[in-house]
Amino acid sequence: MSKKIKVFAPASIGNVSCGFDVLGLAVTQPGDVVEISLNDSGQVTIQSILGDEGRLPLEAAKNTSGVAVIEFLKSIQSNQGVSITLHKNLPLGSGMGCSAASAVAAAVGINELMGSPLKKIDLLPFAMEAERVACGSAHADNAAPSLLGGLILIRENHPLDIIEIPTPKELFCVLVHPHIEVKTRDARSVLKQTISLQDGITQWANTAALVAGMMKEDYELIGRSLVDVVAEPLRADLIPSFNKVKQTALKNGALGCGISGSGPTVFCLCKGRAEAELAGQSIRDVFLNISLENEVFVSEVNRQGAYALIS
Ligand code: HSE
């Protein structure tokens, strides 16, 4: 049995506009990398975290990668000693599924090192528990796509019922991360606890149509279904020039555009790489015009989820 492993887990687009808390889509890049090694200490420890500017907790029980490992070991009743090194490539508070990616990579890593006693899908509860520690509620809309890849529908959390939705081959994702931070907790606090019947009807019509558009490879339908009347109108103010960003992206190759997870990252879905590059650049320029530095990531859909890197 190997004693050391390095695992990559991708960023993900939570919600995908209309699918608030129930849809998530994995991208190919960027993502976090977690290195795990076994030892005889009987303890789970975080050896180091690179790329977080010292902001993440080094205490395993408070760090999402540590929590995922602790929960995994609890489930197989093991007191194995584990050391974790986290390469935090995803920006904190970005809405790209940053906390989920570290947890997912750690869960995949420890499972493999322990001889794969669990199937990949059975690792999801450990990443969700880590999400609960990080942001107060156990969403699967980032953890599930980061773990399994592709577009995932979370029909039910308790008991977990998740459905993998096929996505068309030429679908490209754009993530533009403006250099500001929005905490998921804060972005959830601006939401209302109730919505009108009309908004409910609009939202579930679009969610169903988006899934149908993916399955039928109908890009136009995907584009016109990327509408969120529940969270986006209340969160738009948290992102400078969001409405301008969206209009510009739609004029420059995007099928649809919205807030990635709880923001501030903006996402677009496009048909083809060239359209995605164009949309990404157009959004970058809108942010630069208001002196907001940002980073653009263009990628295909990640269809395999988290995976071990050959080191
Ligand atoms: N779906 C949640 C939200 C978590 O939008 O608040 C972020 O992915």
Side-chain angles (χ1 to χ4, degrees):
M1 201 194 301
S2 165
K3 291 208 151 182
K4 208 172 173 185
I5 196 168
K6 210 183 223 191
V7 177
F8 171 86
S12 53
I13 301 166
N15 304 332
V16 201
S17 287
C18 44
F20 180 72
D21 275 1
V22 302
L23 281 177
L25 176 66
V27 300
T28 308
Q29 283 290 345
D32 280 351
V33 172
V34 172
E35 287 179 65
I36 306 223
S37 58
L38 304 184
N39 57 45
D40 298 327
S41 69
Q43 310 250 311
V44 176
T45 51
I46 312 260
Q47 193 182 339
S48 61
I49 306 177
L50 308 163
D52 72 326
E53 293 162 356
R55 296 177 54 201
L56 289 174
L58 276 161
E59 195 184 320
K62 292 190 175 154
N63 182 293
T64 63
S65 59
V67 173
V69 170
I70 291 167
E71 293 296 317
F72 170 89
L73 292 174
K74 221 190 274 175
S75 83
I76 61 161
Q77 295 174 317
S78 165
N79 58 0
Q80 175 67 54
V82 176
S83 167
I84 302 170
T85 297
L86 173 57
H87 299 258
K88 195 74 214 159
N89 303 325
L90 297 177
L92 308 185
S94 62
M96 294 198 266
C98 150
S99 50
S102 306
V104 162
V108 169
I110 186 65
N111 188 43
E112 287 212 25
L113 283 184
M114 297 300 285
S116 299
L118 299 185
K119 289 192 293 225
K120 210 175 186 191
I121 191 161
D122 295 330
L123 303 175
L124 187 52
F126 312 131
M128 287 173 68
E129 179 56 20
E131 282 283 69
R132 199 185 56 72
V133 170
C135 48
S137 49
H139 314 115
D141 57 340
N142 289 117
S146 184
L147 179 68
L148 302 169
L151 178 65
I152 307 285
L153 170 68
I154 296 110
R155 196 196 67 79
E156 181 67 84
N157 277 294
H158 304 289
L160 251 182
D161 185 4
I162 64 168
I163 300 116
E164 298 181 49
I165 312 284
T167 51
K169 281 194 189 64
E170 288 180 85
L171 194 70
F172 273 76
C173 314
V174 182
L175 287 164
V176 185
H177 172 234
H179 291 180
I180 52 169
E181 206 173 299
V182 173
K183 291 200 169 68
T184 298
R185 240 178 251 273
D186 297 339
R188 288 184 88 80
S189 74
V190 302
L191 302 178
K192 293 188 200 140
Q193 289 306 307
T194 54
I195 58 168
S196 70
L197 181 60
Q198 186 51 56
D199 282 350
I201 292 167
T202 305
Q203 198 81 357
W204 57 68
N206 279 309
T207 306
L210 178 59
V211 170
M214 293 287 180
M215 298 186 74
K216 288 159 67 94
E217 308 205 358
D218 183 337
Y219 292 93
E220 302 275 309
L221 180 57
I222 292 170
R224 56 179 197 277
S225 308
L226 286 170
V227 176
D228 171 14
V229 296
V230 171
E232 187 179 293
L234 298 166
R235 288 177 167 176
D237 286 347
L238 302 175
I239 305 169
S241 291
F242 176 75
N243 292 329
K244 178 110 196 273
V245 158
K246 187 165 171 165
Q247 283 163 17
T248 306
L250 294 174
K251 280 189 211 143
N252 286 278
L255 297 165
C257 174
I259 301 171
S260 177
S262 52
T265 295
V266 173
F267 84 95
C268 305
L269 296 184
C270 300
K271 183 181 181 188
R273 183 176 288 279
E275 283 75 4
E277 305 272 4
L278 181 68
Q281 187 59 46
S282 75
I283 295 176
R284 174 167 170 73
D285 291 343
V286 175
F287 282 136
L288 287 179
N289 272 337
I290 53 165
S291 303
L292 185 51
E293 193 43 80
N294 61 90
E295 256 170 308
V296 181
F297 303 94
V298 171
S299 98
E300 290 175 77
V301 174
N302 166 320
R303 295 170 204 280
Q304 66 178 131
Y307 54 89
L309 298 169
I310 316 285
S311 50

